[in-house]
mmCIF file of all heavy atoms in Angstrom:
data_model
loop_
_atom_site.group_PDB
_atom_site.id
_atom_site.type_symbol
_atom_site.label_atom_id
_atom_site.label_comp_id
_atom_site.label_asym_id
_atom_site.label_seq_id
_atom_site.Cartn_x
_atom_site.Cartn_y
_atom_site.Cartn_z
ATOM 1 N N VAL D 89 -32.907 -13.416 -91.618
ATOM 2 C CA VAL D 89 -33.018 -14.343 -90.486
ATOM 3 C C VAL D 89 -31.722 -15.134 -90.336
ATOM 4 O O VAL D 89 -31.208 -15.325 -89.222
ATOM 5 C CB VAL D 89 -34.231 -15.286 -90.676
ATOM 6 C CG1 VAL D 89 -34.207 -16.427 -89.688
ATOM 7 C CG2 VAL D 89 -35.525 -14.500 -90.537
ATOM 8 N N PHE D 90 -31.166 -15.579 -91.461
ATOM 9 C CA PHE D 90 -29.914 -16.321 -91.415
ATOM 10 C C PHE D 90 -28.780 -15.459 -90.868
ATOM 11 O O PHE D 90 -28.009 -15.906 -90.017
ATOM 12 C CB PHE D 90 -29.547 -16.844 -92.809
ATOM 13 C CG PHE D 90 -28.185 -17.461 -92.880
ATOM 14 C CD1 PHE D 90 -27.945 -18.694 -92.279
ATOM 15 C CD2 PHE D 90 -27.153 -16.823 -93.532
ATOM 16 C CE1 PHE D 90 -26.692 -19.264 -92.333
ATOM 17 C CE2 PHE D 90 -25.899 -17.389 -93.591
ATOM 18 C CZ PHE D 90 -25.662 -18.604 -92.993
ATOM 19 N N ILE D 91 -28.696 -14.216 -91.322
ATOM 20 C CA ILE D 91 -27.648 -13.319 -90.823
ATOM 21 C C ILE D 91 -27.844 -13.044 -89.335
ATOM 22 O O ILE D 91 -26.880 -13.026 -88.564
ATOM 23 C CB ILE D 91 -27.638 -12.005 -91.644
ATOM 24 C CG1 ILE D 91 -27.124 -12.290 -93.054
ATOM 25 C CG2 ILE D 91 -26.793 -10.934 -90.969
ATOM 26 C CD1 ILE D 91 -27.302 -11.133 -94.009
ATOM 27 N N GLY D 92 -29.091 -12.863 -88.905
ATOM 28 C CA GLY D 92 -29.358 -12.617 -87.482
ATOM 29 C C GLY D 92 -28.991 -13.786 -86.607
ATOM 30 O O GLY D 92 -28.296 -13.627 -85.589
ATOM 31 N N TRP D 93 -29.426 -14.997 -86.964
ATOM 32 C CA TRP D 93 -29.102 -16.165 -86.154
ATOM 33 C C TRP D 93 -27.611 -16.481 -86.194
ATOM 34 O O TRP D 93 -27.040 -16.931 -85.195
ATOM 35 C CB TRP D 93 -29.907 -17.380 -86.586
ATOM 36 C CG TRP D 93 -31.322 -17.366 -86.117
ATOM 37 C CD1 TRP D 93 -32.434 -17.366 -86.890
ATOM 38 C CD2 TRP D 93 -31.799 -17.357 -84.762
ATOM 39 N NE1 TRP D 93 -33.564 -17.346 -86.109
ATOM 40 C CE2 TRP D 93 -33.197 -17.349 -84.796
ATOM 41 C CE3 TRP D 93 -31.166 -17.343 -83.526
ATOM 42 C CZ2 TRP D 93 -33.985 -17.331 -83.651
ATOM 43 C CZ3 TRP D 93 -31.942 -17.320 -82.380
ATOM 44 C CH2 TRP D 93 -33.330 -17.315 -82.439
ATOM 45 N N THR D 94 -26.963 -16.240 -87.340
ATOM 46 C CA THR D 94 -25.522 -16.468 -87.430
ATOM 47 C C THR D 94 -24.767 -15.512 -86.526
ATOM 48 O O THR D 94 -23.820 -15.919 -85.844
ATOM 49 C CB THR D 94 -25.044 -16.313 -88.886
ATOM 50 O OG1 THR D 94 -25.777 -17.201 -89.713
ATOM 51 C CG2 THR D 94 -23.567 -16.620 -89.013
ATOM 52 N N SER D 95 -25.178 -14.258 -86.499
ATOM 53 C CA SER D 95 -24.506 -13.290 -85.631
ATOM 54 C C SER D 95 -24.709 -13.638 -84.158
ATOM 55 O O SER D 95 -23.768 -13.537 -83.358
ATOM 56 C CB SER D 95 -24.979 -11.876 -85.927
ATOM 57 O OG SER D 95 -26.356 -11.747 -85.685
ATOM 58 N N VAL D 96 -25.912 -14.083 -83.792
ATOM 59 C CA VAL D 96 -26.143 -14.508 -82.405
ATOM 60 C C VAL D 96 -25.279 -15.721 -82.072
ATOM 61 O O VAL D 96 -24.679 -15.805 -80.989
ATOM 62 C CB VAL D 96 -27.641 -14.823 -82.168
ATOM 63 C CG1 VAL D 96 -27.858 -15.503 -80.833
ATOM 64 C CG2 VAL D 96 -28.462 -13.553 -82.248
ATOM 65 N N PHE D 97 -25.171 -16.659 -83.014
ATOM 66 C CA PHE D 97 -24.362 -17.860 -82.823
ATOM 67 C C PHE D 97 -22.889 -17.505 -82.608
ATOM 68 O O PHE D 97 -22.251 -17.987 -81.666
ATOM 69 C CB PHE D 97 -24.532 -18.774 -84.044
ATOM 70 C CG PHE D 97 -23.718 -20.021 -84.031
ATOM 71 C CD1 PHE D 97 -23.975 -21.025 -83.109
ATOM 72 C CD2 PHE D 97 -22.693 -20.217 -84.947
ATOM 73 C CE1 PHE D 97 -23.239 -22.189 -83.096
ATOM 74 C CE2 PHE D 97 -21.950 -21.366 -84.951
ATOM 75 C CZ PHE D 97 -22.218 -22.356 -84.023
ATOM 76 N N LEU D 113 -28.584 -24.600 -79.878
ATOM 77 C CA LEU D 113 -29.884 -24.170 -80.406
ATOM 78 C C LEU D 113 -29.741 -23.161 -81.543
ATOM 79 O O LEU D 113 -30.350 -23.321 -82.607
ATOM 80 C CB LEU D 113 -30.720 -23.541 -79.289
ATOM 81 C CG LEU D 113 -31.649 -24.447 -78.515
ATOM 82 C CD1 LEU D 113 -32.320 -23.672 -77.400
ATOM 83 C CD2 LEU D 113 -32.672 -25.077 -79.404
ATOM 84 N N THR D 114 -28.926 -22.143 -81.325
ATOM 85 C CA THR D 114 -28.766 -21.137 -82.370
ATOM 86 C C THR D 114 -28.012 -21.695 -83.568
ATOM 87 O O THR D 114 -28.276 -21.301 -84.705
ATOM 88 C CB THR D 114 -28.062 -19.879 -81.832
ATOM 89 O OG1 THR D 114 -26.806 -20.252 -81.256
ATOM 90 C CG2 THR D 114 -28.922 -19.167 -80.822
ATOM 91 N N GLY D 115 -27.087 -22.611 -83.331
ATOM 92 C CA GLY D 115 -26.391 -23.253 -84.447
ATOM 93 C C GLY D 115 -27.332 -24.082 -85.297
ATOM 94 O O GLY D 115 -27.265 -24.059 -86.531
ATOM 95 N N LEU D 116 -28.233 -24.816 -84.655
ATOM 96 C CA LEU D 116 -29.197 -25.631 -85.403
ATOM 97 C C LEU D 116 -30.171 -24.774 -86.202
ATOM 98 O O LEU D 116 -30.468 -25.079 -87.361
ATOM 99 C CB LEU D 116 -29.961 -26.549 -84.452
ATOM 100 C CG LEU D 116 -29.172 -27.720 -83.874
ATOM 101 C CD1 LEU D 116 -30.011 -28.474 -82.856
ATOM 102 C CD2 LEU D 116 -28.706 -28.647 -84.972
ATOM 103 N N VAL D 117 -30.665 -23.712 -85.604
ATOM 104 C CA VAL D 117 -31.616 -22.859 -86.331
ATOM 105 C C VAL D 117 -30.894 -22.100 -87.447
ATOM 106 O O VAL D 117 -31.473 -21.840 -88.512
ATOM 107 C CB VAL D 117 -32.386 -21.919 -85.375
ATOM 108 C CG1 VAL D 117 -31.550 -20.767 -84.906
ATOM 109 C CG2 VAL D 117 -33.649 -21.411 -86.029
ATOM 110 N N THR D 118 -29.616 -21.778 -87.262
ATOM 111 C CA THR D 118 -28.831 -21.157 -88.327
ATOM 112 C C THR D 118 -28.679 -22.112 -89.497
ATOM 113 O O THR D 118 -28.885 -21.747 -90.660
ATOM 114 C CB THR D 118 -27.449 -20.734 -87.797
ATOM 115 O OG1 THR D 118 -27.620 -19.795 -86.747
ATOM 116 C CG2 THR D 118 -26.600 -20.130 -88.887
ATOM 117 N N PHE D 119 -28.323 -23.353 -89.204
ATOM 118 C CA PHE D 119 -28.151 -24.365 -90.246
ATOM 119 C C PHE D 119 -29.467 -24.637 -90.963
ATOM 120 O O PHE D 119 -29.509 -24.758 -92.193
ATOM 121 C CB PHE D 119 -27.588 -25.649 -89.617
ATOM 122 C CG PHE D 119 -27.318 -26.735 -90.610
ATOM 123 C CD1 PHE D 119 -26.310 -26.610 -91.539
ATOM 124 C CD2 PHE D 119 -28.092 -27.884 -90.608
ATOM 125 C CE1 PHE D 119 -26.063 -27.607 -92.458
ATOM 126 C CE2 PHE D 119 -27.853 -28.892 -91.521
ATOM 127 C CZ PHE D 119 -26.834 -28.752 -92.454
ATOM 128 N N PHE D 120 -30.556 -24.698 -90.218
ATOM 129 C CA PHE D 120 -31.864 -24.955 -90.817
ATOM 130 C C PHE D 120 -32.304 -23.803 -91.713
ATOM 131 O O PHE D 120 -32.862 -24.028 -92.788
ATOM 132 C CB PHE D 120 -32.898 -25.213 -89.720
ATOM 133 C CG PHE D 120 -34.190 -25.753 -90.240
ATOM 134 C CD1 PHE D 120 -34.298 -27.072 -90.616
ATOM 135 C CD2 PHE D 120 -35.291 -24.930 -90.384
ATOM 136 C CE1 PHE D 120 -35.479 -27.572 -91.115
ATOM 137 C CE2 PHE D 120 -36.476 -25.414 -90.881
ATOM 138 C CZ PHE D 120 -36.569 -26.746 -91.246
ATOM 139 N N SER D 121 -32.047 -22.573 -91.291
ATOM 140 C CA SER D 121 -32.424 -21.437 -92.136
ATOM 141 C C SER D 121 -31.550 -21.373 -93.384
ATOM 142 O O SER D 121 -32.021 -20.956 -94.449
ATOM 143 C CB SER D 121 -32.362 -20.127 -91.353
ATOM 144 O OG SER D 121 -31.049 -19.847 -90.945
ATOM 145 N N LEU D 122 -30.287 -21.833 -93.300
ATOM 146 C CA LEU D 122 -29.432 -21.890 -94.481
ATOM 147 C C LEU D 122 -29.946 -22.928 -95.477
ATOM 148 O O LEU D 122 -30.011 -22.663 -96.689
ATOM 149 C CB LEU D 122 -27.992 -22.208 -94.079
ATOM 150 C CG LEU D 122 -26.985 -22.294 -95.214
ATOM 151 C CD1 LEU D 122 -26.820 -20.938 -95.881
ATOM 152 C CD2 LEU D 122 -25.658 -22.816 -94.703
ATOM 153 N N ILE D 123 -30.343 -24.079 -94.983
ATOM 154 C CA ILE D 123 -30.902 -25.114 -95.856
ATOM 155 C C ILE D 123 -32.202 -24.609 -96.498
ATOM 156 O O ILE D 123 -32.443 -24.828 -97.689
ATOM 157 C CB ILE D 123 -31.137 -26.417 -95.075
ATOM 158 C CG1 ILE D 123 -29.808 -27.042 -94.708
ATOM 159 C CG2 ILE D 123 -31.972 -27.403 -95.879
ATOM 160 C CD1 ILE D 123 -29.930 -28.246 -93.797
#
Side-chain angles (χ1 to χ4, degrees):
V89 168
F90 172 72
I91 290 170
W93 283 119
T94 304
S95 62
V96 169
F97 177 67
L113 268 176
T114 56
L116 288 175
V117 76
T118 300
F119 182 68
F120 192 77
S121 64
L122 180 65
I123 290 173

